[in-house]
C-alpha cells in the first residue's frame, strides 16, 4: 500500500472519528447513552450538561449559559453530520479545530490542563487541523468538475511537448 492510499484511508478515518465523537457527545447530553452516573456517561441529561457548560464558562453571564449550551449542541450537530457526509471538508475540519481548541482552552482554564489532556481534546484538535490541511479546497474540487471542453483542450496543449 502506497503513502497516497494510506493518506486517503487516514482522512476518512479521522473524518468519521471526529464526526461520530461530536454526535456521541450530543447523545450523552440528551440522555441517549444512559443516565447520569452510568458507565461511560459524562452528563446523562441536558441539566447536567448545562451545569458543565456553566462550570467551564464562569466568565459568561449565567443568563446566557442555556443559550450557549444550545449553540454548542447545534454547532457540534452540524459539524458532526458534515464530517460524516464528507461535505465542505476543509471548512468543516478547520471549524471543528476551532471548536475543539475553544473546548480545550475553557477546560484548561476551568478544570486545569489535565482535563483536556485526559479527554484527548488536544489530540482531536490536532486531527481536525491536519484534516483541514490535507483536504482539497471545495472551490478547487468543484471547478475541476465544471471545466469546459475548451479549457481541457487548452490545458492539454500546454502539457504536450512538440517532438
Amino acid at each position: 500500500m502506497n503513502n497516497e492510499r494510506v493518506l486517503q484511508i487516514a482522512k476518512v478515518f479521522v473524518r468519521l472519528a471526529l464526526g461520530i465523537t461530536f454526535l456521541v457527545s450530543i447523545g450523552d447530553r440528551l440522555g441517549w447513552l444512559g443516565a447520569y452516573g452510568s458507565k461511560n456517561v459524562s452528563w446523562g441529561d441536558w441539566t447536567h450538561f448545562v451545569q458543565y457548560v456553566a462550570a467551564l464558562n464562569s466568565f459568561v453571564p449565567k443568563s446566557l449559559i442555556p443559550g450557549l449550551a444550545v449553540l454548542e449542541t447545534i454547532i457540534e450537530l452540524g459539524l458532526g453530520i458534515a464530517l460524516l457526509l464528507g461535505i465542505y471538508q476543509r471548512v468543516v475540519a478547520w471549524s471543528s479545530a476551532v471548536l475543539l481548541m475553544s473546548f480545550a482552552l475553557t477546560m484548561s482554564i476551568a478544570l486545569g490542563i489535565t482535563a483536556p489532556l485526559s479527554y484527548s481534546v488536544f489530540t482531536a484538535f490536532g486531527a481536525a487541523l491536519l484534516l483541514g490541511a490535507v483536504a482539497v479546497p471545495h472551490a478547487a474540487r468543484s471547478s475541476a468538475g465544471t471545466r469546459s471542453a475548451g479549457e481541457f483542450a487548452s490545458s492539454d496543449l500546454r502539457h504536450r511537448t512538440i517532438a
Side-chain angles (χ1 to χ4, degrees):
M1 192 176 326
N2 64 23
N3 285 342
E4 191 62 35
R5 184 68 179 146
V6 171
L7 180 61
Q8 288 175 341
I9 293 168
K11 286 181 352 184
V12 171
F13 181 83
V14 169
R15 194 170 47 77
L16 294 176
L18 287 171
I20 291 168
T21 298
F22 282 143
L23 297 178
V24 166
S25 180
I26 292 169
D28 185 350
R29 70 190 67 156
L30 296 178
W32 297 344
L33 303 181
Y36 179 73
S38 299
K39 184 177 180 183
N40 297 322
V41 173
S42 296
W43 307 295
D45 58 44
W46 186 255
T47 303
H48 284 98
F49 174 67
V50 173
Q51 290 170 354
Y52 183 72
V53 171
L56 293 185
N57 298 283
S58 59
F59 53 89
V60 174
K62 290 194 185 308
S63 62
L64 297 180
I65 294 297
L68 182 58
V70 169
L71 180 63
E72 287 178 12
T73 301
I74 291 169
I75 292 170
E76 284 182 74
L77 179 64
L79 292 174
I81 291 171
L83 284 162
L84 290 181
L85 295 177
I87 56 177
Y88 301 102
Q89 290 182 26
R90 180 170 276 190
V91 171
V92 170
W94 283 343
S95 298
S96 298
V98 169
L99 181 66
L100 288 161
M101 182 49 77
S102 73
F103 291 165
L105 291 174
T106 56
M107 289 173 77
S108 296
I109 293 166
L111 307 173
I113 192 70
T114 306
L117 290 171
S118 294
Y119 287 102
S120 301
V121 181
F122 290 111
T123 304
F125 161 74
L129 200 61
L130 185 59
L131 185 61
V134 299
V136 176
H138 183 69
R141 192 175 316 123
S142 62
S143 67
T146 59
R147 292 198 311 188
S148 68
E151 289 175 294
F152 279 119
S154 66
S155 173
D156 187 43
L157 289 174
R158 275 184 260 144
H159 294 301
R160 289 185 182 189
T161 57
I162 300 175

